[in-house]
Amino acid sequence: MKIGKQSWRFENKVYIQETATSVGPLEAKGPLGKFFDVRYDEPYMGQKTWEQAEIQLIRGTLQTLFNKSGLHEKDICLALCGDLVNQLVPSHYAFREFNLPFLGMYGACATGIQSLLLSAVLVDSFQANHVIAGASSHTMTVERQFRNPVEYGGPKPETAQNTIMGAGLALVSRKPSPVRIESATAGIIVDAGQKNPNDMGSAMAPAAAQSLMQHLDDLGLNEDYYDMIVTGDLAKCGTPVFINILKQKGIEVEDIHSDCGNLIYSDKQKVFSGGSGAGCCPVVTFGYLCDLLKHQKVKRVLVLATGALLNPLIMQQKESIPCIAHAVALVSEAE
Amino acid sequence: MKIGKQSWRFENKVYIQETATSVGPLEAKGPLGKFFDVRYDEPYMGQKTWEQAEIQLIRGTLQTLFNKSGLHEKDICLALCGDLVNQLVPSHYAFREFNLPFLGMYGACATGIQSLLLSAVLVDSFQANHVIAGASSHTMTVERQFRNPVEYGGPKPETAQNTIMGAGLALVSRKPSPVRIESATAGIIVDAGQKNPNDMGSAMAPAAAQSLMQHLDDLGLNEDYYDMIVTGDLAKCGTPVFINILKQKGIEVEDIHSDCGNLIYSDKQKVFSGGSGAGCCPVVTFGYLCDLLKHQKVKRVLVLATGALLNPLIMQQKESIPCIAHAVALVSEAE
C-alpha cells in the first residue's frame, strides 16, 4: 500500500525467500567473506575479458539462487536487475541465457535496492510472485569505463571508493521466510552541487538523509524503530556528512548506523575511503544482513542504498552530481 | 492481474490520462509532425552541448505534461524513465529539477514501453496513481556515444537506422480518458546470433515475434483482435524479418502491421532504413497512436517496442546482440 509521499507499506507479507551472492578475491578476504555463497579467487573468474567476468559473476549467482531455492526458470515471474556498465551489458548478457521476463533497472549503486523495492511492490499487490531482484559490479569493468584502466596504474585520492566485485540477487515472494520486507521508500533526485567524482560518498550523503527523513515521516516512525540503519555506499568520507545532516535535523543515528562500503572491507585492506559499486549493497544486504535477521541478531534493519547518477562525459562538461537513495526495511520473522 | 507466462491484464481500468511529446527538426518535418506538442527547429534546443539538448528535450516534455494535465509535482506518485545515454544521464539531470520519486529504466529502444508496462501494473494494483512513464533519445548524443560524432561525416550503411530526436511521456492513472491500457507483456531476452550493429532491425525482429506470440498465447487472443500491431523500431530492414517469422508460425500480421521507425519519417527523408531510438516508440505512441484512439480511427492497438541490448565495447569483443521486446495493448474508450 502506498503511504505518504514516497513510501509503501507491504500489508500482504512479502518475504526474501532466498538469496545468492558472489564476490571477488578482495571481498572474499574481507570481514564478511564467510557470508557469501560463491568466492572467486581470481578477478577474471575464468573468462577472457573483464566484461565476460562480470557476466559470469551474475550468471553464477543466478544459478546459485536456483540451486538454493530449488526453483526453476519457469517458476519466476520477472527479473529486475542492473549494473554500472554502459547499457547494462553484463546483466543483459547473463540473463539472455535464461528464459525469464526481464526489465532493466538503473540507479547507479542503488540499483539493487531499487529492484528490491519494485519487486516487493509487485509481490505485495499480487501482480507477481517469485521476482528476482539484484545488481552487480566488477572493479575492472567500472574502472576502465568511468576512470582509467587499472593497468595504467593511475593514482586515486583517498576520498575515492573501491568498486567491489560482486553480484547479489534475492528471490522475493509470499512464501514465509525469516526475512520479511516491511516497507520501502523511493528516492527523489538530490543534487547538493558537489562536482568531485572522486568523492561520491559526500555527494550522496544528502540524498541518503532526505530519503531517511521522508521514510520516517511517511511511515510515522522514529529512527530508533530500527536496530540498524545501513547506508550503501557512503564509505568513510560520506558517513560523517550523512550523520551531521541528520544531527542538524535532530535525528541521531550514529549508534545504529553502518555502511556497506565500510562493512565489506577491513581497515587493513587498501580500498581508499571504502567499498562501493552496484554489487556492494546487494551482497552485504543479501549475504550479511539477511544472515543477521535469520539468526535474530537484529530485529529490524533499514537498508538505504545510494547512487551517484553521473557519467564521465557530463563530468567533463563541469556539471555537479545528482544523487538518489532508495530505502527498504527488512524485519526478522525467525522463530 | 498476472496472466500466463509473461503478461498482465489490467482489470481495474488503467488509463493514459495525458501525454506530452517533443521532437527535433527532422521529426517535426516528417509525416507525423503535427501530432507532436513541442517541435524544436534546431538540434541544440538552445543549449550548449548535445547532452544538455537532450536534458532540455525531457525537461520541456515534462513541463508540457504538467501544463496539459493541470497536475503538479506533488500529485505524481512516481516517475519511471530512461534513455540511451550512458548511465541515463539526460533523464537523471532533467528529473533532478523536479521533486518526484524516480526509478531509472533501461531497455534500449523499448525503455519507454517498459516504463509504461510497469506504470500500468502499479496503477492497476492501486500501488500508485499518477505515474509518469516514458523515454527520450537525441541523434547527436547517441551517434557520438555508440558510433562516431556526426561531425566526422563517416558513412553509414543503408541497413542502419536514424536515432530520432524526441521525448515522449505519458501520465498513467485511473482517471477515465479515451485511451485505456488493457494488457501488457514483458519480454524475455532473445539472441538470434546477429552480430551486425548496423542492422539492429533484423537483430530485434525475433524478439518482437516472440513477445507477440507470447502475448497472444497468454491472453488467449488471435492477432486480428488488434486493428494495428505497431513495432518500434524494426524499420525497413527488420520489418520483413518480423513478418516472415510470424508467417512461418501461421500468424498473418502484414495487413495490420506498422513500425514506429517507418511511420515517423517519409520516404524522401534521408534516414537509411528508418527511425529508431528510445524516444521513437514513445513519441509515435503518445503523439500519433493515442490521437488515433482518441478519435476512434482505431479501436485496439498493440504497441510492441524492441530494444537491442548491446554497447560498443561488447561489439568489439565479437559478441552477438541480445534483444528484447515489451508489449502494451491500448484500446479506445472514446465516445
Side-chain angles (χ1 to χ4, degrees), chain A residues 267-289:
Chain A
D267 284 340
K268 288 177 187 165
Q269 290 178 300
K270 290 182 180 172
V271 292
F272 310 101
S273 177
S276 74
C280 187
C281 191
V283 301
V284 172
T285 302
F286 304 146
Y288 174 60
L289 299 175

Side-chain angles (χ1 to χ4, degrees), chain B residues 125-266:
Chain B
S125 59
F126 298 85
Q127 291 279 22
N129 198 1
H130 295 131
V131 181
I132 292 174
S136 71
S137 58
H138 190 293
T139 324
M140 301 306 194
T141 60
V142 163
E143 283 301 316
R144 72 172 173 185
Q145 178 187 281
F146 283 92
R147 290 167 284 263
N148 292 305
V150 169
E151 295 85 341
Y152 284 9
K156 287 172 79 172
E158 283 303 311
T159 53
Q161 291 170 243
N162 187 69
T163 305
I164 78 142
M165 279 180 211
L169 296 173
L171 178 68
V172 179
S173 80
R174 286 186 296 277
K175 186 181 174 189
S177 94
V179 183
R180 184 163 68 80
I181 307 178
E182 187 173 66
S183 65
T185 299
I188 60 167
I189 298 174
V190 175
D191 189 330
Q194 223 265 54
K195 293 188 174 191
N196 178 7
N198 280 315
D199 180 8
M200 295 204 278
S202 302
M204 297 188 292
Q210 196 283 335
S211 289
L212 174 59
M213 291 187 285
Q214 194 65 50
H215 176 82
L216 298 175
D217 193 50
D218 284 347
L219 289 142
L221 299 173
N222 288 319
E223 60 276 23
D224 59 8
Y225 179 76
Y226 294 106
D227 304 320
M228 285 178 88
I229 292 176
V230 187
T231 49
D233 314 287
L234 302 178
K236 284 180 200 153
C237 286
T239 294
V241 181
F242 173 71
I243 300 288
N244 284 332
I245 294 171
L246 292 170
K247 202 168 271 178
Q248 285 167 23
K249 304 279 180 181
I251 300 170
E252 295 283 346
V253 296
E254 200 158 1
D255 294 345
I256 52 171
H257 174 259
S258 299
D259 183 82
C260 297
N262 292 334
L263 288 166
I264 198 165
Y265 296 122
S266 75

